[in-house]
Amino acid sequence: MTERILFVDDEPNILDTFLRNLRRAFDVATAEGPEHGLLALEGKGPFAVVVSDLRMPGMDGITFLEHVRQRMPDAVRIILSGHGDFATAVASVNRGAVFRFLTKPCPPEELVGVLRDALRQHRLVVAERELLRGTLRGSVQVLTDVLALVNPEAFGRSERIRDLVVKIGARLDAKPLWQLELAAMLCQLGCVALPPETLRKRLSGEALSAEEQQIWGMHPEIAANLLTNIPRLGEVADMIGAQQMPPGPDVPLGARILRAALDYDAELRRGLAPVQAVAALRTTP
């Protein structure tokens, strides 16, 4: 995919200069002012780099780049301004997370060098994200495969509640949903440390001995500890670790959803119809 660069300025002649001087070296798009810049983000993107003037009518460049950051977090942001005071540069870094703060007039060779640096930065950001995504996907696959091999019943339980958890999360506007889905997939991971008979007795409603009860109570913490060191799974680990805690304001919403889905599944496994299972949950403290 071509790496596009968007220039936003309220002066058409400056935009024309950018196009004339840079279009042979880069894929350049322009937008006259911040409002057209926001439209360009939707209609002409995605953009690898966004270069914005600072002083524009209606919206300054820092505010505009804040919008860019929200809509295209991977885009590298640059301020190009005729006002080069230190306070403004600091504000642009803190609020717009800009990559460079350049002052007008900017020599063409300097601008070209900065744009090349910005494109390299964008490639690094995208490569790191893809590496994390691949690492995360691979790690989750390995863990679920291990669970399926070691304790098929626990794996089946996590698979059964997965869709239910996502539906409840969507209804309650729990975001991001991908974390909740992963929590459902991995919430029984700690059961790899359980004797299969303990899980069978628990799911069938049979009484557990004091020792079995203690072992059962440890499985969320075991799973959470396994997940803590995997990048981007810290919040997922928190949900899983708290899945057996009594509902309360200090318990993550994801953990409360997990507990409700797991308890519902347990009631179904004991032979109750869905309506009866819901009724049983309503009477559970």
Side-chain angles (χ1 to χ4, degrees):
M1 181 182 294
T2 303
E3 297 170 311
R4 306 200 74 198
I5 301 174
L6 175 65
F7 284 88
V8 180
D9 200 298
D10 61 316
E11 298 185 37
N13 60 321
I14 292 180
L15 295 176
D16 291 340
T17 300
F18 290 144
L19 276 175
R20 186 169 55 254
N21 293 340
L22 300 171
R23 62 187 175 188
R24 291 185 179 179
F26 305 102
D27 184 358
V28 176
T30 61
E32 189 175 334
E35 291 186 3
H36 287 94
L38 294 177
L39 292 174
L41 293 179
E42 301 297 330
K44 298 181 180 180
F47 294 100
V49 181
V50 179
V51 183
S52 175
D53 186 24
L54 178 61
R55 302 289 172 85
M56 298 181 290
M59 182 188 303
D60 63 46
I62 299 175
T63 303
F64 170 72
L65 290 182
E66 285 185 84
H67 287 286
V68 173
R69 186 182 186 185
Q70 293 169 3
R71 300 184 187 194
M72 290 186 182
D74 290 345
V76 178
R77 297 166 291 278
I78 297 173
I79 284 282
L80 183 59
S81 172
H83 304 269
D85 62 281
F86 180 74
T88 302
V90 170
S92 67
V93 171
N94 291 338
R95 289 175 51 198
V98 301
F99 177 70
R100 291 283 191 277
F101 185 96
L102 303 176
T103 55
K104 297 178 181 178
C106 182
E109 61 275 10
E110 180 181 352
L111 181 57
V112 168
V114 169
L115 291 176
R116 286 176 175 161
D117 289 343
L119 289 173
R120 280 193 289 269
Q121 176 67 17
H122 176 260
R123 292 173 197 136
L124 287 173
V125 169
V126 171
E128 181 180 13
R129 188 193 65 223
E130 291 303 315
L131 176 62
L132 279 173
R133 181 179 296 172
T135 300
L136 183 60
R137 186 185 301 113
S139 299
V140 170
Q141 185 65 54
V142 168
L143 292 173
T144 54
D145 286 350
V146 168
L147 181 60
L149 288 170
V150 175
N151 201 322
E153 192 162 4
F155 173 76
R157 192 182 193 206
S158 62
E159 286 291 293
R160 287 195 304 273
I161 71 163
R162 180 177 174 179
D163 288 344
L164 178 59
V165 165
V166 172
K167 289 177 182 177
I168 295 173
R171 178 70 63 90
L172 297 178
D173 198 28
K175 296 178 180 179
L177 273 179
W178 69 266
Q179 290 184 342
L180 190 55
E181 183 177 11
L182 284 187
M185 293 170 60
L186 299 171
C187 67
Q188 301 297 288
L189 181 62
C191 292
V192 296
L194 296 182
E197 180 65 12
T198 300
L199 180 62
R200 186 199 64 76
K201 289 173 65 175
R202 171 70 184 185
L203 296 184
S204 64
E206 298 179 34
L208 299 181
S209 67
E211 182 180 359
E212 288 172 329
Q213 196 68 257
Q214 182 179 14
I215 293 173
W216 171 257
M218 293 170 57
H219 88 80
E221 183 179 356
I222 292 172
N225 289 338
L226 288 172
L227 297 174
T228 297
N229 293 322
I230 298 179
R232 300 182 68 189
L233 287 190
E235 293 184 31
V236 174
D238 291 341
M239 294 179 199
I240 292 174
Q243 65 182 282
Q244 290 185 358
M245 295 179 63
D250 295 332
V251 179
L253 175 60
R256 285 177 271 161
I257 293 173
L258 281 179
R259 175 170 178 172
L262 289 166
D263 288 349
Y264 176 76
D265 179 72
E267 297 297 341
L268 294 181
R269 296 276 290 176
R270 291 167 189 165
L272 295 184
V275 174
Q276 295 172 317
V278 171
L281 293 182
R282 287 175 174 164
T283 60
T284 303

